[in-house]
Amino acid sequence: MNTDRKARWAVRQSALPTVVRPCPDCSGTRHRPSGRIRVNANGKLLDVWLLLSCAACDRTSKVPVHERVQVSSLKPARLVAYENNEPAVVRELTMSASLAAKNGYRLDWTGAWALETRTPLYALDDPAPLKVLVSFELPAPVRVERLLMLGLGISRTAVRRMVADGRVHLPLAPDAKAHQDFELTIDGPGSVDAAKHSKLLGAPADVRTGLSHVGLHDAPQQLSRLATAGA
Ligand SMILES: [Zn+2]
């Protein structure tokens, strides 16, 4: 029995999260990074802000990143990155959960990610367990159940049935939100089912039913697809 079946699912970034906080000028709450960072020097002390734009009225607002810190406390490369509005640093600050917590705003990750899967197409038919490494390119919190739906291309009901049947081994609860890499294992459909499936795999495609539609073995073994992240 092949116990080395592995798949990789990656939560990829498709956009930056939206910063949700009240705008002082309008009733809007959604802000996007303006792409700029402001650095103010006062003697040996520095203030650094991330600049946001209100999505409704375009008003610029400031999020304090450093307040009155010694110039010497920042690495020179970091300071240069701030002064040059380096996109990687703008991205890092915009996604920072600790900066959001410190400044009392929420991050909305809707539309900020997509799941890319490389799952063998026979994944759910094979009696051998399938190990899935889920990796995160960004710290977007994603419900585990939703990852399973997107990754396996099955309904919420089907996911819940597999979990209830004990076929999915997870390091965290199905309704928990994951935001960093983890591994899960999916057991095959069981010895009885496995025998049935192995017979079916030799049968014409239209005889196969149920989950076996996921296992079109005449298609290429690897499927790479991008499932968009919904709300
Ligand atoms: Zn506004």
Side-chain angles (χ1 to χ4, degrees):
M1 182 156 106
N2 176 14
T3 53
D4 294 324
R5 298 200 312 126
K6 280 184 186 153
R8 281 176 181 277
W9 299 353
V11 176
R12 299 253 184 245
Q13 178 147 37
S14 41
L16 283 173
T18 302
V19 171
V20 183
R21 66 174 196 173
C23 171
D25 277 7
C26 79
S27 58
T29 55
R30 302 179 69 76
H31 295 76
R32 50 173 188 266
S34 72
R36 285 173 298 137
I37 294 168
R38 182 172 296 163
V39 180
N40 244 18
N42 185 353
K44 284 188 174 172
L45 296 179
L46 275 186
D47 284 302
V48 178
W49 297 278
L50 171 69
L51 302 188
L52 303 175
S53 300
C54 170
C57 74
D58 233 22
R59 181 196 200 274
T60 301
S61 54
K62 301 189 294 184
V63 173
V65 179
H66 299 289
E67 292 177 284
R68 302 189 67 74
V69 293
Q70 295 285 337
V71 178
S72 55
S73 71
L74 294 178
K75 286 190 178 137
R78 186 75 177 175
L79 188 53
V80 169
Y82 288 147
E83 283 168 342
N84 292 335
N85 302 308
E86 237 168 59
V89 177
V90 171
R91 174 180 182 269
E92 176 206 313
L93 295 174
T94 307
M95 295 194 307
S96 166
S98 59
L99 198 62
K102 203 174 112 192
N103 289 284
Y105 58 77
R106 187 170 69 79
L107 296 176
D108 181 352
W109 296 89
T110 306
W113 59 273
L115 186 68
E116 185 189 273
T117 57
R118 294 188 69 80
T119 307
L121 277 166
Y122 48 78
L124 297 181
D125 277 345
D126 200 299
L130 173 71
K131 211 172 237 182
V132 181
L133 172 65
V134 186
S135 63
F136 284 73
E137 190 178 273
L138 73 172
V142 184
R143 214 172 287 284
V144 174
E145 193 173 71
R146 182 156 180 79
L147 284 173
L148 288 166
M149 288 165 64
L150 293 171
L152 300 172
I154 60 178
S155 69
R156 188 180 304 273
T157 312
V159 167
R160 288 189 176 165
R161 193 180 311 128
M162 285 179 73
V163 171
D165 289 351
R167 283 185 58 192
V168 187
H169 304 281
L170 296 163
L172 64 180
D175 60 349
K177 286 187 173 180
H179 55 87
Q180 54 192 14
D181 299 5
F182 69 94
E183 259 188 20
L184 62 96
T185 308
I186 300 168
D187 283 345
S191 53
V192 177
D193 280 346
K196 190 176 76 185
H197 274 274
S198 59
K199 268 185 202 156
L200 286 174
L201 284 174
D206 56 353
V207 175
R208 285 180 271 136
T209 53
L211 284 179
S212 59
H213 72 274
V214 183
L216 300 171
H217 61 286
D218 43 358
Q221 281 200 342
Q222 294 287 329
L223 164 70
S224 182
R225 72 200 138 92
L226 213 58
T228 49

